[in-house]
Structure formats: C-alpha cells, structure tokens
C-alpha cells in the first residue's frame, strides 16, 4: 500500500507539533522518520495509525482519502515504544488478540488462530514462548512478540515507534536485521521512528529527517550523507 | 570464584543493631495489639458476656433483624453503583485529557473532606419538605428524607471516593499504551475496556470495592442525620447499635456490633482468599 501525506499539521492546544508537512511513501518501502525528540516524528506516525488526528491536511492510502478513518479501520500494525504487551495475557493470547477481536464472520476458527499464532512465533524465532507472560521475557523478546502481535492482524502497513530504543546495543543490531528480513518477506510498507541516525541510515530505504515539526530532507541514506539539505541535517546525520 | 574466603555476614547490610530492632518491633507489636486487636476482642467478649444464646436471641429481635437487612440492602445497592461511577470517573480522568480535570479530581475528594454529618444535613436541606426539590418529590409521593432513598443517597455520597481513589493511581501508572495497542489491533472501545482495562485494574478495583463496602455498612454520621432513626424502619446497624447502647442494652448493642465487625472480617477474609488463590497470576502481572 502506498501512502501520501498532504499538508498535515497538528496542534496540541497552542503548541504546534507539526507544521504542514507532505510526504509520499512508496508501496513496500522501509522508511525511517529520523529526528531529535520534539521533532514531530512520533506525532506523524500516530497520525498515520489513526491514534491522533491532524488539525488540517489529508492522509491517502492507495490514493483514497483515509483522514477520517478510525484506528480500527486503518488496520495498521503498530509496535509501541515500550511494546505495550497486555500484561495479564500470555504471549499466545497477546498475538491472538487481533484475530479474536474480529467480527464473528471474519474471525478464524480456534484451530486456525492457533496455527497462525504459532507461525508468527516461528517467524520471530521464539517458537516455545506461547504460554509465558510478558513479565517473564527479556526486552528483546518482548519487542519481537510486539512485532508478531502487530503482524497477526495482516496489517496494511507496519508502523514502529522507536522499536529498538530501550534495548542494548547487541540486541539492537540483531533485531535490526530481523526487522529487515521480516520486511523483505512480508513486503509491507513499513515506517519506523528513530532518533538514532546510524539505525536509520543502515536500515531504511528512504530516510525522512525531521526537526521542530518540519521535514528537513527526504532521501536515500547515501544521498542524505553526500548532500545534506541544511546545516541541521549535516550536523544531525554525522553526529 | 575467588580463592580468598571472606567471613560470611549473617545479616543483610541494611540491618540495625539488635537493641534498635527489638525496640522498633516491640513498639509495632504493642501498638497493633492496643489499637487493632484489643478493641475487636473487647467487642466480642462483651457480646458473649451472657453466653451465646443471649447474643443470638438479641440478634433475632425484629428491630435488630430489620437493621441487619437494611444495612445489607444499602451495601448491595450502593457498592455496585459506586463501583461503576468510580470506574467511569477513573477512566475519564486517566485515559482522556479535558478541561476541568483537576476540578473533577477535587470534586471526587469532596466527601473525604466534608464531615458526614454536614453531608447528611445538606441532603436534608436539599430534599427536605422546606425545599422546592423536596416539595416536588413529596407532591409526587416519593419520600427521600427519613426513608430508604435518603439513606442510599447519604451512603453513596460518603463512599463515593473509595473506588475512584483506588483506581486512579493504578490507571495513571499503567498509561494508555495497552488500550491504544488494542485499538490498533481492531478492538472496539468496549472490547478494549473489558479485555484490557478491566483485567488490568481488577485488584485495585477489588480493594476499592471492599473499602467502599466496609464504609457503606459502617457509615454513621450522614445516615444518622437523614434517616430520622425510625426504629425498625430506617435504622441501619450502626444507628441501631448506638440506640441500644444508649438504652443500656449492652449485650444487644455489642452483639450487633460484633455482627457488624464479622461482616467486615468476612470481606477481609474473602480478599485474602482471592489473593492466595491467584498469587501466581498477581506476581506475574504486577511486575512488567
């Protein structure tokens, strides 16, 4: 699915989180929203998910206006910064949640739910953790379960908010590779938010550099490094 | 592993000198004994002074039975209502941003800061025959003051904060991320509430409900004012106990007091049982 953002602005009270920004995300791309905290990157991601609504502007999915679509209708797989796993459910129930939440006639049978959950747990290379609770998992495992849960709903796109932010450097490297592989096998349009320029440059096809609610530059990692559009981009991407 | 053998310290580093420990522990034990255990034992001892049969027969007096019935009825109506209100208030305060939120929090605390007697008087003023509202109810043949509705209103007012106060810190700490996750997974608002929010707050809710229940059964001041203390009609257990005591019917008074204390003890026991039964689940879900 390709996504277009047209002149999206967002205000929280008197505060301007996003100045009108526009961006086209090609189908199947892996995109990084890169910027320091307060740059509006998470707000933009939440607007795509339908968790936040823009003050003005439009969002288009496959050329169709999706601005007024509810979060449920958008069917975007969202991975939260601190994973937001349901703490009172086992890993299996966490991953199955989106399937069970479907309307009765669209809901898979219990056996089918089991098959799908197990397939996803295989995909994230944690086949045996279904009966465990989130509190019994390491940070890296929780992150992967959150990814499996988001993928279970057969999302139209994948949105990740600082997916590796809370992890140590070694786990982060492994999971980066894992995300790349999952993106390549599913072919999902994927947007992730990060403040780590190295992560953005290494992982993304296209990097969107943001600052103070504005998009400073959009480009391939190599192009941004070679030809930064502003002093801010140069300073931020070489840090 | 090191080859050097260090002397093993038997006590953790946070420990205090022996004397300090004994003094601190001793103080706590004495205080608990004097403040918590002794009064409870005194009540039961006094109730049973003339034996079990005297205590039981005083409890089966029609007035005593009607007081017990009324108290149970009040708790049965007030506690579920306040549980629903408390959940709704805590949900609104912790999961949404809106104007006047601070004011709402203050308002929820109001019953804690206002004396129950004042609350009872306020209700009498509001619904009594001298007010327009009271006159309207009386004209439509509905008795509020000196009747069950007044007792329910007074008890609801006094116990209003318990559930909300218990839930707000828990829900504040849990944040909104899990709810948002459920929504992105396609769950409706109601489904999110019943499958994510409610299970996450169930223990805090249980504590809130137990506190609310204990207070609803034990409330004296507000109910004393608004009930009119009509014997056998609007006397709840605490009111009845006071009346019996004032009439020097000591065994009857303390038997009823013991029964009221028993109701509280049963709810506490229930809580402990549930905690014991679900200990594993509790420890698994609380950390995270």
């Amino acid at each position: 699915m390709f996504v277009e953002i047209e002149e999206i602005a967002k205000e929280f009270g008197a505060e301007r989180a996003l100045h009108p920004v526009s961006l086209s995300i090609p189908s199947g791309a892996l995109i990084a929203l890169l910027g320091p905290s307060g740059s509006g990157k998470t707000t933009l991601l939440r607007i795509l998910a339908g968790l936040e609504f823009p003050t003005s502007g439009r969002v288009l999915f496959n050329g169709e206006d999706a601005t007024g679509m509810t979060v449920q209708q958008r069917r975007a797989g969202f991975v939260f910064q601190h994973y937001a796993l349901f703490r009172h459910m086992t890993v299996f129930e966490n991953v199955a949640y989106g399937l069970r939440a479907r309307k009765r006639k669209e809901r898979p049978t219990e056996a089918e739910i089991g098959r799908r959950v197990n397939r996803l747990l295989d995909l994230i290379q944690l086949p045996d953790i279904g009966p465990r609770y989130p509190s019994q998992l390491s940070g890296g495992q929780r992150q992967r379960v959150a990814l499996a849960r988001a993928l279970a709903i057969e999302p139209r796109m994948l949105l990740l908010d600082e997916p590796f932010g809370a992890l140590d450097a070694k786990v982060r490297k492994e999971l980066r590779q894992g995300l790349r592989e999952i993106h390549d096998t599913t072919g999902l349009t994927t947007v992730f938010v990060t403040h780590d320029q190295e992560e953005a440059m290494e992982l993304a096809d296209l990097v969107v550099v943001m600052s103070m609610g504005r998009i400073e530059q959009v480009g391939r990692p190599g192009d941004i490094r070679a030809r930064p559009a502003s002093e801010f981009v140069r300073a931020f991407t070489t840090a | 592993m090191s080859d050097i053998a260090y002397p093993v310290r038997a006590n953790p580093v946070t420990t205090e000198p022996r004397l300090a420990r004994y003094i601190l522990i001793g103080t706590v034990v004495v205080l608990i004994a004097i403040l918590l255990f002794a009064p409870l034992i005194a009540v039961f001892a006094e109730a049973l002074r003339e034996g079990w049969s005297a205590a039981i027969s005083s409890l089966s007096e029609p007035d005593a039975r009607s007081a017990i019935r009324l108290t149970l009825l009040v708790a049965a109506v007030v506690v579920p209502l306040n549980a629903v209100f408390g959940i709704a208030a805590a949900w609104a305060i912790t999961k949404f941003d809106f104007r006047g939120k601070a004011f709402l929090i203050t308002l929820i605390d109001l019953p804690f800061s206002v004396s129950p007697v004042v609350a009872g008087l306020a209700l009498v003023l509001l619904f009594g025959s001298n007010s327009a509202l009271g006159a309207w109810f009386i004209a439509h043949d509905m008795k509020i003051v000196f009747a069950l509705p007044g007792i329910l209103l007074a008890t609801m007012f006094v116990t209003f904060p318990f559930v909300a106060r218990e839930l707000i810190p828990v829900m504040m700490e849990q944040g909104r991320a899990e709810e948002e996750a459920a929504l992105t997974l396609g769950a409706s608002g109601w489904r999110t509430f019943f499958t994510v929010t409610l299970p996450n707050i169930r223990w805090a809710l249980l504590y809130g409900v137990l506190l609310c229940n204990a207070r609803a059964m034990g409330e004296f001041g507000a109910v004393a004012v608004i009930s009119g203390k009509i014997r056998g009609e609007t006397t709840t257990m605490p009111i009845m106990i006071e009346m019996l005591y004032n009439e020097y019917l000591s065994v009857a008074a303390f038997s009823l007091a013991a029964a009221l204390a028993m109701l509280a003890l049963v709810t506490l026991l229930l809580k402990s049982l549930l905690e014991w039964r679900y200990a594993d689940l509790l420890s698994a879900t609380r950390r995270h």
Side-chain angles (χ1 to χ4, degrees):
Chain A
M1 183 176 76
F2 69 97
V3 179
E4 285 157 290
I5 294 164
E6 283 182 359
E7 298 288 312
I8 286 279
K10 176 70 183 176
E11 284 156 26
F12 293 105
E15 226 165 298
R16 199 123 218 224
L18 281 177
H19 292 272
V21 295
S22 298
L23 179 68
S24 289
I25 302 171
S27 187
L30 179 52
I31 301 245
L33 300 180
L34 172 67
S37 57
S39 60
K41 55 194 193 307
T42 295
T43 304
L44 189 56
L45 191 77
R46 288 171 62 87
I47 286 173
L48 284 179
L51 289 170
E52 217 78 74
F53 287 91
T55 313
S56 62
R58 295 202 305 164
V59 180
L60 301 155
F61 291 169
N62 279 340
E64 254 179 75
D65 193 344
T67 319
M69 260 191 191
T70 64
V71 49
Q72 292 94 341
Q73 288 168 336
R74 294 195 191 198
R75 230 174 70 231
F78 201 103
V79 176
F80 289 81
Q81 191 173 1
H82 300 290
Y83 325 126
L85 295 176
F86 306 127
R87 67 192 90 189
H88 61 287
M89 293 181 201
T90 60
V91 167
F92 183 96
E93 287 304 320
N94 263 281
V95 178
Y97 189 89
L99 296 174
R100 295 200 199 285
R102 285 187 185 171
K103 288 195 196 72
R104 196 172 295 269
K105 55 179 190 287
E106 295 162 25
R107 198 184 304 155
T109 62
E110 202 53 35
E112 176 63 18
I113 289 176
R115 262 196 300 279
R116 288 205 203 176
V117 171
N118 287 326
R119 206 181 317 137
L120 284 161
L121 294 181
D122 284 341
L123 183 70
I124 58 166
Q125 293 166 12
L126 294 170
D128 303 319
I129 61 159
R132 310 256 287 271
Y133 281 94
S135 60
Q136 299 164 324
L137 306 180
S138 71
Q141 289 173 328
R142 286 182 202 174
Q143 205 272 345
R144 285 190 275 173
V145 171
L147 187 60
R149 183 177 69 175
L151 290 170
I153 61 169
E154 300 167 303
R156 300 207 286 170
M157 60 180 162
L158 197 53
L159 306 172
L160 305 96
D161 187 7
E162 298 272 3
F164 314 114
L167 302 168
D168 59 62
K170 182 172 165 286
V171 180
R172 198 184 292 198
K173 278 245 159 66
E174 287 169 18
L175 287 181
R176 232 184 256 177
Q177 191 54 39
L179 178 62
R180 180 82 234 181
E181 280 164 16
I182 283 170
H183 171 261
D184 293 347
T185 43
T186 59
L188 281 170
T189 309
T190 303
V191 183
F192 72 97
V193 157
T194 181
H195 61 265
D196 180 344
Q197 59 90 15
E198 191 199 321
E199 194 165 281
M201 298 296 184
E202 195 190 300
L203 193 54
D205 305 326
L206 211 56
V207 176
V208 179
V209 187
M210 294 184 70
S211 162
M212 318 261 290
R214 288 194 172 83
I215 291 178
E216 295 277 329
Q217 189 174 4
V218 182
R220 294 171 181 286
D223 294 345
I224 288 181
R225 279 240 166 87
R227 285 176 294 277
S230 67
E231 190 46 44
F232 171 83
V233 176
R234 184 204 310 283
F236 195 73
T237 53
T238 53
Chain B
M1 274 293 165
S2 162
D3 292 335
I4 310 157
Y6 289 102
V8 177
R9 271 191 70 111
N11 298 321
V13 287
T14 51
T15 199
E16 301 294 328
R18 194 173 290 255
L19 183 68
R21 264 186 293 156
Y22 287 161
I23 290 175
L24 287 171
I25 293 170
T27 314
V28 170
V29 169
V30 168
L31 275 177
I32 287 178
I34 294 176
L35 291 177
L36 297 178
F37 275 111
L40 207 57
I41 289 165
V43 167
F44 283 96
E46 187 64 26
L48 297 175
R49 200 183 45 176
E50 289 170 22
W52 281 94
S53 58
I56 288 167
S57 77
S58 72
L59 283 182
S60 29
E61 291 283 316
D63 286 352
R65 282 167 59 176
S66 118
I68 295 172
R69 252 199 319 273
L70 183 58
T71 289
L72 291 178
L73 175 66
V74 167
V77 174
V78 166
V79 173
L81 282 176
N82 267 348
V84 172
F85 291 154
I87 292 171
W91 162 271
I93 284 169
T94 56
K95 309 284 176 183
F96 300 93
D97 295 310
F98 54 90
R99 209 177 290 216
K101 191 155 138 175
F103 180 66
L104 182 62
I105 296 175
T106 315
L107 213 59
I108 288 173
D109 276 340
L110 187 70
F112 272 164
S113 40
V114 172
S115 159
V117 176
V118 176
L121 279 174
L123 287 175
V124 170
L125 271 181
L126 197 61
F127 293 106
S129 51
N130 293 331
S131 79
L133 197 59
W136 186 87
F137 275 114
I138 288 164
H140 289 76
D141 225 20
M142 278 179 279
K143 234 172 135 13
I144 308 269
V145 175
F146 306 144
L148 181 63
I151 298 174
L152 292 177
L153 281 172
T155 312
M156 267 175 65
F157 179 87
V158 172
T159 59
F160 190 79
F162 284 96
V163 174
R165 268 285 139 202
E166 201 68 33
L167 292 182
I168 288 169
V170 174
M171 291 171 85
M172 206 79 107
E173 189 227 313
Q174 287 176 349
R176 303 172 193 181
E178 283 184 52
E179 275 85 4
E180 287 182 346
L183 295 177
T184 64
L185 294 170
S188 65
W190 281 113
R191 190 183 174 85
T192 301
F193 176 76
F194 283 110
T195 58
V196 176
T197 310
L198 204 55
N200 271 340
I201 60 170
R202 61 190 155 187
W203 290 104
L205 182 63
L206 178 68
Y207 297 144
V209 162
L210 288 176
L211 285 175
C212 182
N213 180 59
R215 185 63 194 270
M217 293 196 300
E219 174 53 27
F220 180 81
V223 175
V225 175
I226 204 164
S227 70
K229 299 185 180 177
I230 305 166
R231 218 183 170 103
E233 265 181 57
T234 63
T235 43
T236 58
M237 283 170 85
I239 308 279
M240 195 70 216
I241 290 166
E242 198 231 8
M243 287 166 84
L244 292 169
Y245 183 74
N246 286 343
E247 291 157 15
Y248 303 105
L249 297 168
S250 162
V251 169
F254 282 99
S255 299
L256 205 53
L260 188 55
M262 280 301 291
L263 286 176
L265 288 179
V266 164
T267 50
L268 276 183
L269 199 71
L270 213 67
K271 189 197 100 177
S272 306
L273 264 176
L274 283 169
E275 275 179 332
W276 173 73
R277 169 78 180 72
Y278 293 106
D280 295 347
L281 200 64
L282 257 176
S283 64
T285 51
R286 264 195 186 154
R287 283 178 284 133
H288 186 47

